[in-house]
Amino acid sequence: MDTPRETSVGTLLREESPEMDLSHRFSKRELALLYEEVLYTIRHRLGKPEHHHVADPQELYAYVQKAFGMDAEEHSVIMQQVKDLESPIFCLKATVKEAKGILGKDVSGFSDPYCLLGIEAKSQEPAHPDHKKRMKAVVKDLIPEDQIHRTQVISQTLSPVWDETFILEFEDMEMASFHLDMWDSDTVESVRHKLGELTDLHGLKRIFKDARKDKGQDDFLGNVVLRLKDLHCWNDRWYQLEPRTETYPNRGQCHLQFLLTHKKRATTCSRTQPSYTVHRHLLQQLVSYEILQHQAGSISWDGELSRHASTVLYLHATQKDLSDFHQVMAQWLAYSKLYQSLEFNSSCLLHQITSIEYQWVQERLRPEQKAELAESFQSLLTYGVSLIRRFRIIFPLSIPRSTERLQSLLRVLVQMCKMKAFHELCRLSPDLPQMVSTALKSGTTEWFHMKKQHLQPMVKSVEENGKALSRLLVEVIGDLQQCQKIWNKFFINTLKLNLFSIAYLELEALVAEHVQEQLHEVDSSMSKPTAESLFQLYMNMQELYRMKDFLLKRDGPLALSNFHQWFKEAVPQWLQKAYTIALERAQRAIQMDQLTPFGEHNKHSTSTVDLSTCYAQIVKTWQQLNWPDPEEAFMIMVKLVEDMCRIALMYCRLIKERAEALSLSEQSEGEAANRLCIVVNNIKQLRLLILKLPSQLDWAQLEQRTGAVIDRQQIQHTLHHQLDSTISCLDHEVRDVVKALATKLEKGIARHIQELSSSNNTRDPEDSIIPLMKFLESELQYLNEHLVQENFRSLLSLLWHHTLAVLTAAAGQQVPSAQCYRKLHCALKSLERCFYAEGCGLPMEILQTSAFLSLETHLALCSATSRKLIQKYFSNRIQQQLDTSSEKYGAVTIKALYRPSEQKLRVEVLNAANLIPLDSNGSSDPFVQLTLEPRHEFPEVVPRTTQCKRNELHPLFDEAFDFLIPPEKCRQEGACLLLTVFDYDTLGANDLEGEAFFPLHHLPGLDADEDQADTGRVPQTRLPLTHPKPTGDEILQLLESRKGDKEAQAFVKLRKQRAKQSKETA
């Protein structure tokens, strides 16, 4: 629902022009005469009421009495005058439009129809209302001949069109009836002519029928009889043609229009003024009353008349026989006049504009009517443009549907200026877009000066003037935003005018002039309060200048193009203020900081939050400045970065002092460590803030802007060097604190490892490392809770390297005890899992360093049993043989096959080749010894030997040997067939030609479900001969160090003996 404007349009315009035309307000005499006219109209009402009209005349009298503001006495007097006046002549304006489907009476099958019509003064009432007796009498029998009207004859048609109008007078509405007869006109024609028109058998029948008629007698086609009291004021419909007999009941239809009107009305207005003028005055009076009634109910009139007003105006227009065109003209003149003084929606005028345009024929108007219409066009145009000039006040957005009202006004003006009537009557047709553009410019200027006057400060000072300027800029920006987002589309759609561009170009020039005038009064030595008051003004100016991007096009530079230069002297003050505020806030935050985690999920304290806010405010200051000059912008950036780095270093110093002060007051070592963790986290958080500055301050964009005036190397050197230096200082601070925390833990780790080394060897290794793991779990869990992840990992890295060094030192000091080494090895693996923490601690690439891998290998060997070492020894010898590519000592070729069903290993020694001559004669006496190793896995299997081949370096043995061994023994680590080739010496010990190792886990047939049928299919295996290393084998050294282990000593002795048999070793 609409609400009225705070100040109506009419009121505003009356204030502007006190002597404006208020012709809708009539004099008392004029009002009385018009009242007489409307009472006369109601009293002499004709026709049956329409369903949407008011039927009760008393209701209509009561309504017009209120609409005209008449009291009971005035109404009574004028009503008596009306009763005394002579009644008008009642007329039925009948228009015979056309007919269809009539009977064809001529030989041709067509008719030559015409109509006779008139009014019977006393209608023939049927005896009973339901009686449908047809009135068979014809017009010429009922109505005097001088009152009968006749249409033209339309030749040879069954669908005649007449469109003829007749005025039929009558006296008594209740008794009179309308009669219309339709006849076929007959003329005398020869039989030959009629036969020439003959088309069918029906035509022949008509010829015989005509022969029986009197010559020249017309044929009856049908009639229409209507009682006048059954007619509305206006009727337009098709009526059924009734027959006189039942011969042809369906005789077609006739289209008739009726209008019940008056002649010779006795009222003064009807006698002295044109009907059109009287109707317009009546319309003005009733519409103004309707509008005021809506305003009293706090709603805006939408152009819809009440039933009472519609009824009165309808009766008056029909009684005065006003054409549709003249009714629309009257409505336009009344509405357009009223719109200039009363509040209602201008869209009500669009209907009249459309109707006038549709029905426009200039010749239908008298000269005075043309002049009146032209004056209404010019008046509404001038008034409408004046509203648009002041649209900010007339159509405020605070009032509902203001945008719709302005849009409607624009549409009305545009449609009006397009009318044929407008162009024909207003010879100097104005350029509407130009008029509106000029009005918008002047209206914008007026609005700016009004706002400037309204916002002037009470106290004239530089600071207050700056604040007033800021408030004015806020108003201007708000207005332009409304123009751009709300109003602009209406002006573009209707007038192709860009309101925003018009308003912006006007306002930016006015703002530039006014601001420069005010800033000119500021002294060159700008005070701190003055500079602060100007900062908000500068930001508002920026926002206003940025709005230029919405301009479609412009000629030349804007008045605000270099506005930043007007504020250049205030920039140092603004930067200093930003630094001071940030510094003081950071200092207060440190003083209030208790160095406890801020929130459940944070590991730094409250001061970092405040510090982040301080930095964000400085970044915001840079963004707000958005200084256009690239060289000056670079200097501003240098100053801001320098200030933020100074704040960071100050923060590091003060936060450590704060931690020391709190620790001294509580004397708790645990709390002190906790605060130290918070300090590390805070500095790390500060480091992250510093690293974000290049992106937050958009250095990349600054480099692009300054590329033409400042070398990129200078930017890198100045800004990045400044930042890197600060980051380096922060990293140094973090490392120092983390090292201090690590040092405390390193002592505990070293102590527990020392205790582990010296603990009783009878304890299980898993039990021995429990104290060390509990210590680490407690300390690391505490630190993990109080350190951010990055700092915690730095601490873990330091501790890990220290722990490896301690374990390495402990392993070097150990006595040769496998149990001691097992404890250290168990500790190393447990520490690796602890520091890895299932992926939450240090990554494996950091944990498994070369020192770790070397230590792990050493401890794994030292902690193994003698038998495991022996197995490892043979595994190593097998691997060494695989890695050997040459046959320096020759080679031996065998076939080996395992039969699972018999658990039997069958070995065929085929030959040896390229043996080294070990005898003085340049040859050798080779034989091969076969043993299964390690001996502790095959204690019951005795060594086997081939025959000795004399003076052969390429002996052919071709001997087979069987060994009974279970399959699981073949799969043990290091399980192998050792083939030792000796040179037989008769007098001394045999010399070693070389050793070859055949791993048993690759035996053909070992993993087969069934025995292989033929050993002939087993491939030959050629094994290179190798010699044992003379010294330095780590496993043999470990075994030799185990003096109390007989098995270890026996193995070492055997291997030493084998090494002695090698002449190369000797």
Side-chain angles (χ1 to χ4, degrees):
M1 182 178 290
D2 282 351
T3 56
R5 291 198 281 255
E6 296 174 356
T7 306
S8 73
V9 177
T11 304
L12 285 169
L13 270 292
R14 284 197 294 276
E15 290 174 359
E16 194 175 76
S17 178
E19 297 185 6
M20 69 168 282
D21 181 14
L22 295 177
S23 58
H24 70 283
R25 302 288 177 87
F26 301 106
S27 66
K28 192 167 183 63
R29 171 168 172 71
E30 290 173 334
L31 203 62
L33 292 176
L34 196 59
Y35 193 59
E36 177 191 65
E37 176 77 15
V38 73
L39 293 181
Y40 189 86
T41 300
I42 298 170
R43 178 172 173 77
H44 297 291
R45 178 176 188 170
L46 294 175
K48 192 165 81 171
E50 301 284 353
H51 69 89
H52 58 279
H53 284 168
V54 178
D56 185 2
Q58 295 306 316
E59 279 191 47
L60 295 179
Y61 287 138
Y63 171 76
V64 297
Q65 184 179 348
K66 292 178 184 177
F68 280 77
M70 297 292 179
D71 58 27
E73 183 179 353
E74 290 172 325
H75 172 76
S76 178
V77 171
I78 298 175
M79 188 67 195
Q80 187 58 47
Q81 293 174 1
V82 169
K83 289 178 180 178
D84 295 340
L85 290 174
E86 185 179 350
S87 298
I89 297 174
F90 300 143
C91 300
L92 176 65
K93 187 177 182 180
T95 301
V96 183
K97 303 291 287 183
E98 58 182 321
K100 62 182 179 180
I102 64 174
L103 296 178
K105 291 290 187 176
D106 294 342
V107 176
S108 62
F110 295 100
S111 293
D112 303 315
Y114 68 94
C115 296
L116 297 177
L117 59 155
I119 291 182
E120 182 188 9
K122 186 175 181 180
S123 62
Q124 304 174 31
E125 291 285 351
H128 190 273
D130 296 333
H131 183 54
K132 299 297 182 181
K133 177 183 177 182
R134 186 174 295 109
M135 299 179 183
K136 296 184 179 181
V138 297
V139 169
K140 58 188 177 182
D141 297 333
L142 294 174
I143 302 172
E145 186 175 352
D146 61 341
Q147 297 178 20
I148 296 175
H149 300 267
R150 176 178 176 137
T151 67
Q152 294 180 351
V153 177
I154 309 298
S155 300
Q156 293 298 292
T157 180
L158 298 181
S159 301
V161 177
W162 290 283
D163 202 12
E164 296 182 43
T165 301
F166 305 93
I167 305 296
L168 311 177
E169 297 180 1
F170 63 92
E171 293 181 357
D172 190 348
M173 183 85 178
E174 292 293 322
M175 299 300 296
S177 61
F178 169 81
H179 287 258
L180 178 143
D181 292 346
M182 189 177 296
W183 297 86
D184 171 40
S185 176
D186 271 352
T187 56
V188 179
E189 295 177 345
S190 64
V191 174
R192 176 178 294 180
H193 180 75
K194 291 181 179 179
L195 288 174
E197 295 179 352
L198 187 63
T199 58
D200 55 13
L201 185 60
H202 291 288
L204 187 61
K205 290 180 180 180
R206 292 190 192 101
I207 292 176
F208 294 145
K209 185 178 180 180
D210 287 345
R212 293 194 299 270
K213 279 195 326 181
D214 295 335
K215 291 183 179 179
Q217 182 179 352
D218 294 344
D219 293 317
F220 182 77
L221 297 177
N223 70 348
V224 176
V225 180
L226 302 170
R227 292 181 300 183
L228 296 191
K229 66 179 181 180
D230 293 335
L231 296 178
H232 295 288
C233 281
W234 166 256
N235 295 264
D236 184 351
R237 56 168 288 192
W238 289 84
Y239 294 92
Q240 195 74 30
L241 289 171
E242 300 291 346
R244 284 188 298 180
T245 66
E246 301 297 333
T247 309
Y248 295 107
N250 186 7
R251 291 175 172 264
Q253 293 176 304
C254 185
H255 183 193
L256 301 175
Q257 282 183 356
F258 298 109
L259 179 66
L260 294 168
T261 66
H262 289 176
K263 271 185 176 180
K264 296 183 179 180
R265 289 166 63 93
T267 62
T268 303
C269 288
S270 294
R271 287 186 289 104
T272 60
Q273 298 178 27
S275 299
Y276 154 79
T277 304
V278 175
H279 187 73
R280 178 166 64 85
H281 291 168
L282 178 60
L283 185 66
Q284 282 183 204
Q285 183 63 30
L286 294 184
V287 169
S288 62
Y289 171 73
E290 295 274 316
I291 295 171
L292 294 173
Q293 285 294 104
H294 279 78
Q295 287 182 353
S298 299
I299 57 174
S300 178
W301 187 59
D302 60 359
E304 188 72 27
L305 290 170
S306 67
R307 291 174 61 241
H308 298 81
S310 298
T311 304
V312 171
L313 291 171
Y314 175 77
L315 292 176
H316 188 262
T318 54
Q319 291 174 15
K320 300 284 280 184
D321 192 14
L322 280 177
S323 66
D324 290 343
F325 179 71
H326 282 88
Q327 288 184 57
V328 170
M329 279 273 296
Q331 289 174 9
W332 164 259
L333 293 172
Y335 281 37
S336 64
K337 182 68 71 175
L338 289 172
Y339 179 72
Q340 299 175 44
S341 56
L342 297 176
E343 164 68 6
F344 65 91
N345 196 331
S346 60
S347 62
C348 304
L349 300 171
L350 285 174
H351 172 69
Q352 285 82 46
I353 289 175
T354 306
S355 298
I356 291 173
E357 180 71 3
Y358 180 72
Q359 304 179 51
W360 176 249
V361 179
Q362 188 177 167
E363 287 70 23
R364 295 169 67 175
L365 297 180
R366 296 189 298 274
E368 62 271 17
Q369 291 177 332
K370 294 179 184 178
E372 196 174 25
L373 186 57
E375 192 277 332
S376 72
F377 288 153
Q378 292 289 359
S379 177
L380 182 64
L381 179 61
T382 303
Y383 179 75
V385 171
S386 71
L387 292 185
I388 294 171
R389 177 171 58 85
R390 305 180 64 189
F391 77 91
R392 295 173 176 86
I393 301 170
I394 304 298
F395 304 101
L397 290 175
S398 57
I399 302 301
R401 301 185 68 179
S402 290
T403 55
E404 296 177 24
R405 293 201 299 273
L406 176 61
Q407 185 181 15
S408 175
L409 173 61
L410 291 172
R411 287 168 55 200
V412 166
L413 294 180
V414 169
Q415 293 302 319
M416 183 183 75
C417 290
K418 288 180 178 179
M419 292 170 66
K420 289 181 288 187
F422 183 86
H423 287 285
E424 291 179 15
L425 298 180
C426 304
R427 297 302 178 188
L428 298 176
S429 298
D431 184 350
L432 181 60
Q434 183 60 43
M435 285 182 66
V436 172
S437 177
T438 303
L440 289 173
K441 289 178 183 178
S442 61
T444 299
T445 303
E446 291 172 10
W447 176 84
F448 178 80
H449 289 300
M450 180 191 72
K451 286 293 181 182
K452 183 175 73 172
Q453 186 68 27
H454 178 70
L455 294 173
Q456 279 188 350
M458 299 294 292
V459 179
K460 299 289 185 180
S461 67
V462 176
E463 289 77 15
E464 290 300 319
N465 283 342
K467 293 176 182 177
L469 282 174
S470 295
R471 291 194 293 270
L472 178 60
L473 262 292
V474 170
E475 293 282 350
V476 168
I477 292 167
D479 179 73
L480 287 172
Q481 287 173 342
Q482 289 182 0
C483 289
Q484 196 263 328
K485 296 177 181 178
I486 299 173
W487 300 115
N488 205 37
K489 57 187 175 184
F490 303 131
F491 285 89
I492 289 175
N493 293 339
T494 54
L495 295 165
K496 300 296 185 286
L497 281 178
N498 192 303
L499 169 64
F500 172 80
S501 296
I502 293 171
Y504 184 84
L505 293 174
E506 288 293 312
L507 288 173
E508 72 94 22
L510 292 168
V511 167
E513 181 183 1
H514 184 51
V515 171
Q516 281 182 291
E517 286 177 2
Q518 296 296 317
L519 292 181
H520 188 67
E521 301 175 6
V522 179
D523 296 332
S524 58
S525 56
M526 192 175 294
S527 65
K528 183 178 178 181
T530 302
E532 292 176 2
S533 69
L534 292 181
F535 185 69
Q536 184 60 47
L537 175 62
Y538 173 79
M539 288 195 297
N540 292 335
M541 293 282 286
Q542 267 198 333
E543 186 176 358
L544 176 61
Y545 186 64
R546 280 197 297 269
M547 295 182 79
K548 73 181 186 304
D549 296 337
F550 297 110
L551 291 175
L552 292 180
K553 60 179 180 178
R554 63 178 187 272
D555 299 325
L558 296 174
L560 292 176
S561 292
N562 293 309
F563 77 92
H564 65 282
Q565 294 294 342
W566 310 341
F567 299 87
K568 189 174 180 179
E569 294 180 4
V571 173
Q573 297 275 15
W574 296 344
L575 299 182
Q576 185 59 35
K577 181 185 177 184
Y579 170 70
T580 303
I581 291 175
L583 183 66
E584 291 174 354
R585 180 167 184 172
Q587 290 172 341
R588 286 196 303 271
I590 294 170
Q591 291 170 3
M592 300 294 294
D593 199 343
Q594 296 301 313
L595 291 178
T596 55
F598 172 67
E600 183 179 351
H601 302 292
N602 293 315
K603 295 183 180 180
H604 43 78
S605 61
T606 56
S607 60
T608 57
V609 180
D610 290 281
L611 190 61
S612 176
T613 305
C614 295
Y615 277 14
Q617 190 57 47
I618 294 177
V619 170
K620 184 180 179 181
T621 301
W622 163 255
Q623 294 169 346
Q624 288 173 335
L625 279 174
N626 193 21
W627 201 255
D629 185 272
E631 193 168 0
E632 293 171 359
F634 174 70
M635 299 308 297
I636 292 172
M637 177 65 76
V638 171
K639 177 68 168 66
L640 291 176
V641 173
E642 180 184 343
D643 289 344
M644 286 189 276
C645 290
R646 285 165 58 191
I647 292 173
L649 298 177
M650 178 277 302
Y651 178 84
C652 288
R653 177 174 55 82
L654 293 183
I655 199 69
K656 288 196 295 183
E657 292 176 0
R658 176 66 176 166
E660 292 175 5
L662 290 173
S663 299
L664 288 173
S665 63
E666 293 189 5
Q667 297 292 330
S668 170
E669 185 175 347
E671 287 297 322
N674 185 16
R675 292 191 188 94
L676 213 54
C677 292
I678 298 296
V679 168
V680 172
N681 294 338
N682 285 0
I683 297 175
K684 209 70 176 180
Q685 184 68 16
L686 173 58
R687 186 181 187 275
L688 293 176
L689 293 176
I690 294 291
L691 289 174
K692 290 179 182 178
L693 290 180
S695 61
Q696 290 177 340
L697 295 171
D698 203 354
W699 285 6
Q701 196 260 352
L702 179 64
E703 287 185 16
Q704 292 179 356
R705 287 176 55 198
T706 57
V709 292
I710 300 176
D711 184 59
R712 187 175 181 182
Q713 294 296 326
Q714 183 181 351
I715 296 176
Q716 292 283 340
H717 178 76
T718 306
L719 294 179
H720 290 276
H721 177 73
Q722 200 170 27
L723 211 62
D724 293 343
S725 177
T726 304
I727 292 295
S728 178
C729 291
L730 296 180
D731 289 342
H732 180 73
E733 296 287 348
V734 169
R735 283 195 299 270
D736 285 349
V737 181
V738 170
K739 282 180 182 178
L741 287 169
T743 302
K744 293 183 178 181
L745 287 179
E746 287 169 0
K747 295 177 182 178
I749 292 172
R751 184 179 71 252
H752 280 86
I753 291 177
Q754 184 63 36
E755 292 174 357
L756 174 67
S757 301
S758 58
S759 62
N760 192 342
N761 287 340
T762 59
R763 292 182 63 186
D764 187 69
E766 298 289 342
D767 296 335
S768 300
I769 64 168
I770 288 176
L772 171 61
M773 301 313 296
K774 283 186 175 180
F775 169 76
L776 279 176
E777 181 181 0
S778 168
E779 294 296 329
L780 293 181
Q781 181 180 358
Y782 169 79
L783 292 171
N784 187 34
E785 291 173 357
H786 292 83
L787 286 174
V788 295
Q789 193 66 22
E790 186 178 356
N791 296 335
F792 181 64
R793 287 187 176 180
S794 298
L795 178 65
L796 286 181
S797 182
L798 290 173
L799 291 177
W800 178 246
H801 289 94
H802 172 75
T803 303
L804 288 180
V806 173
L807 281 173
T808 302
Q813 296 172 1
Q814 287 298 318
V815 295
S817 167
Q819 186 66 12
C820 291
Y821 285 116
R822 288 193 194 100
K823 288 188 292 183
L824 292 178
H825 187 255
C826 182
L828 179 65
K829 299 304 290 182
S830 298
L831 288 170
E832 181 189 18
R833 289 192 296 272
C834 174
F835 278 78
Y836 180 64
E838 297 180 346
C840 299
L842 293 176
M844 280 298 180
E845 56 265 23
I846 292 178
L847 289 170
Q848 295 182 350
T849 61
S850 58
F852 166 81
L853 296 174
S854 175
L855 179 61
E856 183 187 33
T857 303
H858 176 68
L859 292 178
L861 285 175
C862 294
S863 60
T865 62
S866 295
R867 288 190 172 185
K868 282 290 183 184
L869 287 175
I870 293 170
Q871 289 176 311
K872 184 68 175 175
Y873 173 82
F874 284 110
S875 294
N876 290 348
R877 291 301 302 273
I878 293 170
Q879 186 61 44
Q880 290 170 10
Q881 178 179 279
L882 292 173
D883 295 339
T884 300
S885 59
S886 67
E887 295 182 355
K888 178 182 177 181
Y889 304 106
V892 62
T893 302
I894 66 169
K895 280 185 178 183
L897 176 66
Y898 187 78
R899 296 183 183 276
S901 60
E902 301 176 15
Q903 293 193 354
K904 182 186 292 185
L905 168 62
R906 183 173 183 79
V907 180
E908 292 183 14
V909 182
L910 300 178
N911 58 61
N914 302 323
L915 299 178
I916 299 173
L918 296 179
D919 293 340
S920 57
N921 60 0
S923 184
S924 290
D925 305 319
F927 69 93
V928 182
Q929 184 184 68
L930 292 82
T931 56
L932 293 177
E933 300 289 351
R935 293 290 178 86
H936 62 265
E937 293 291 345
F938 307 98
E940 298 178 358
V941 180
V942 296
R944 311 291 287 277
T945 307
T946 67
Q947 294 179 1
C948 179
K949 302 296 181 178
R950 298 286 181 176
N951 298 317
E952 280 287 346
L953 295 179
H954 306 281
L956 180 64
F957 299 105
D958 202 13
E959 297 182 41
F961 304 92
D962 292 327
F963 300 91
L964 291 175
I965 53 174
E968 61 271 13
K969 293 292 185 179
C970 297
R971 297 188 179 94
Q972 294 293 329
E973 181 186 6
C976 63
L977 172 66
L978 173 58
L979 298 114
T980 309
V981 181
F982 290 103
D983 171 40
Y984 178 77
D985 282 341
T986 306
L987 298 178
N990 296 327
D991 297 323
L992 179 66
E993 285 280 354
E995 297 175 319
F997 300 87
F998 181 77
L1000 297 183
H1001 64 276
H1002 288 318
L1003 270 175
L1006 179 64
D1007 298 320
D1009 295 332
E1010 298 180 1
D1011 295 343
Q1012 292 187 4
D1014 187 5
T1015 57
R1017 296 182 181 178
V1018 178
Q1020 297 180 4
T1021 302
R1022 186 181 177 96
L1023 302 172
L1025 296 175
T1026 60
H1027 279 223
K1029 292 181 180 179
T1031 55
D1033 189 293
E1034 186 179 9
I1035 294 178
L1036 293 180
Q1037 290 176 356
L1038 280 173
L1039 289 171
E1040 188 177 9
S1041 67
R1042 298 178 180 180
K1043 300 299 183 182
D1045 190 336
K1046 294 181 180 180
E1047 189 173 6
Q1049 296 301 316
F1051 182 78
V1052 171
K1053 181 179 179 181
L1054 179 62
R1055 296 317 300 172
K1056 282 186 175 183
Q1057 182 181 354
R1058 184 61 52 85
K1060 287 181 180 179
Q1061 291 176 317
S1062 171
K1063 283 194 172 183
E1064 184 171 295
T1065 305

